[in-house]
Coordinates of all heavy atoms in Angstrom, one line a residue:
T82 N -13.5 -168.7 6.2 CA -12.7 -167.6 5.9 C -12.2 -167.7 4.5 O -12.1 -168.8 4.0 CB -11.5 -167.3 6.9 OG1 -10.8 -168.5 6.9 CG2 -11.9 -167.0 8.2
G83 N -12.1 -166.7 3.9 CA -11.6 -166.6 2.4 C -10.9 -165.3 2.1 O -10.8 -164.5 2.9
M84 N -10.3 -165.2 0.9 CA -9.7 -164.1 0.3 C -10.6 -163.3 -0.4 O -11.2 -163.9 -1.2 CB -8.4 -164.5 -0.5 CG -7.7 -163.4 -0.9 SD -6.4 -162.7 0.2 CE -5.4 -164.0 0.5
N85 N -10.8 -162.1 0.0 CA -11.8 -161.2 -0.7 C -11.2 -160.7 -2.0 O -9.9 -160.8 -2.3 CB -12.4 -160.2 0.2 CG -11.3 -159.0 0.6 OD1 -10.4 -158.8 -0.1 ND2 -11.6 -158.4 1.7
P86 N -11.9 -159.9 -2.9 CA -11.3 -159.4 -4.1 C -10.2 -158.4 -3.9 O -9.4 -158.2 -4.8 CB -12.5 -158.7 -4.8 CG -13.5 -159.4 -4.2 CD -13.3 -159.8 -2.8
D87 N -10.1 -157.9 -2.7 CA -9.0 -156.8 -2.4 C -7.8 -157.6 -1.9 O -6.9 -156.8 -1.5 CB -9.6 -155.8 -1.4 CG -10.6 -155.0 -2.0 OD1 -10.6 -154.6 -3.2 OD2 -11.5 -154.5 -1.1
G88 N -7.8 -158.8 -1.8 CA -6.7 -159.6 -1.3 C -6.6 -159.6 0.2 O -5.4 -160.0 0.8
H89 N -7.6 -159.5 0.9 CA -7.6 -159.6 2.3 C -8.6 -160.8 2.9 O -9.4 -161.0 2.3 CB -8.3 -158.3 3.0 CG -7.4 -157.0 2.6 ND1 -6.2 -156.8 3.1 CD2 -7.8 -156.1 1.7 CE1 -5.8 -155.6 2.6 NE2 -6.7 -155.2 1.7
F90 N -8.2 -161.3 4.0 CA -8.9 -162.4 4.5 C -10.1 -161.8 5.2 O -10.1 -160.8 5.8 CB -8.2 -163.3 5.4 CG -7.2 -164.3 4.7 CD1 -5.9 -164.1 4.6 CD2 -7.8 -165.4 4.1 CE1 -5.1 -164.9 4.0 CE2 -7.0 -166.3 3.4 CZ -5.7 -166.0 3.3
E91 N -11.2 -162.4 5.0 CA -12.6 -162.1 5.6 C -13.2 -163.3 5.9 O -13.2 -164.5 5.2 CB -13.4 -161.4 4.6 CG -13.2 -159.9 4.6 CD -14.2 -159.1 3.9 OE1 -15.4 -159.4 4.0 OE2 -13.9 -158.3 3.0
A92 N -14.1 -163.2 6.9 CA -15.0 -164.3 7.3 C -16.1 -164.4 6.3 O -16.5 -163.3 5.7 CB -15.6 -164.2 8.7
F93 N -16.7 -165.6 6.0 CA -17.9 -165.6 5.2 C -18.9 -166.5 5.8 O -18.6 -167.3 6.7 CB -17.5 -166.1 3.7 CG -17.1 -167.7 3.7 CD1 -18.1 -168.7 3.6 CD2 -15.9 -168.0 3.7 CE1 -17.7 -170.0 3.5 CE2 -15.4 -169.3 3.6 CZ -16.5 -170.4 3.5
K94 N -20.2 -166.2 5.4 CA -21.3 -167.1 5.9 C -22.2 -167.3 4.7 O -22.5 -166.3 4.0 CB -22.1 -166.3 6.9 CG -23.4 -167.0 7.3 CD -24.1 -166.1 8.3 CE -25.5 -166.6 8.8 NZ -26.2 -165.9 9.5
V95 N -22.4 -168.5 4.3 CA -23.3 -168.8 3.1 C -24.4 -169.6 3.5 O -24.3 -170.6 4.3 CB -22.5 -169.7 2.1 CG1 -23.2 -170.1 0.9 CG2 -21.1 -168.9 1.7
T96 N -25.6 -169.2 3.1 CA -26.8 -170.0 3.3 C -27.3 -170.4 2.0 O -27.6 -169.8 1.1 CB -28.0 -169.1 4.0 OG1 -27.5 -168.7 5.3 CG2 -29.2 -170.0 4.2
I97 N -27.2 -171.9 1.9 CA -27.7 -172.5 0.7 C -29.2 -172.5 0.5 O -29.8 -173.0 1.6 CB -27.1 -173.9 0.7 CG1 -25.5 -173.9 0.6 CG2 -27.5 -174.7 -0.6 CD1 -24.8 -175.2 0.7
P98 N -29.8 -172.1 -0.5 CA -31.1 -172.1 -0.5 C -31.9 -173.5 -0.6 O -31.3 -174.3 -1.2 CB -31.6 -171.2 -1.9 CG -30.4 -171.6 -2.7 CD -29.2 -171.7 -1.7
A99 N -32.9 -173.5 0.1 CA -33.9 -174.7 0.0 C -34.4 -174.7 -1.5 O -34.5 -173.7 -2.0 CB -34.9 -174.7 1.1
P100 N -34.7 -175.8 -2.0 CA -35.3 -175.9 -3.4 C -36.5 -174.8 -3.4 O -37.4 -174.9 -2.7 CB -35.7 -177.3 -3.5 CG -34.9 -178.0 -2.6 CD -34.6 -177.1 -1.4
G101 N -36.3 -174.1 -4.5 CA -37.4 -173.2 -4.8 C -37.3 -171.8 -4.1 O -38.3 -171.0 -4.2
T102 N -36.2 -171.5 -3.4 CA -36.1 -170.1 -2.7 C -34.8 -169.5 -3.3 O -34.0 -170.1 -4.0 CB -35.8 -170.4 -1.3 OG1 -34.5 -171.2 -1.1 CG2 -36.9 -171.0 -0.6
L103 N -34.8 -168.2 -3.0 CA -33.7 -167.4 -3.5 C -32.4 -167.7 -2.7 O -32.5 -167.8 -1.5 CB -34.0 -165.9 -3.5 CG -35.1 -165.6 -4.5 CD1 -35.5 -164.1 -4.4 CD2 -34.8 -165.9 -6.0

Side-chain angles (χ1 to χ4, degrees):
T82 56
M84 183 79 65
N85 71 22
D87 294 327
H89 302 287
F90 281 104
E91 273 191 49
F93 70 83
K94 174 183 175 185
V95 177
T96 299
I97 298 172
T102 63
L103 296 176

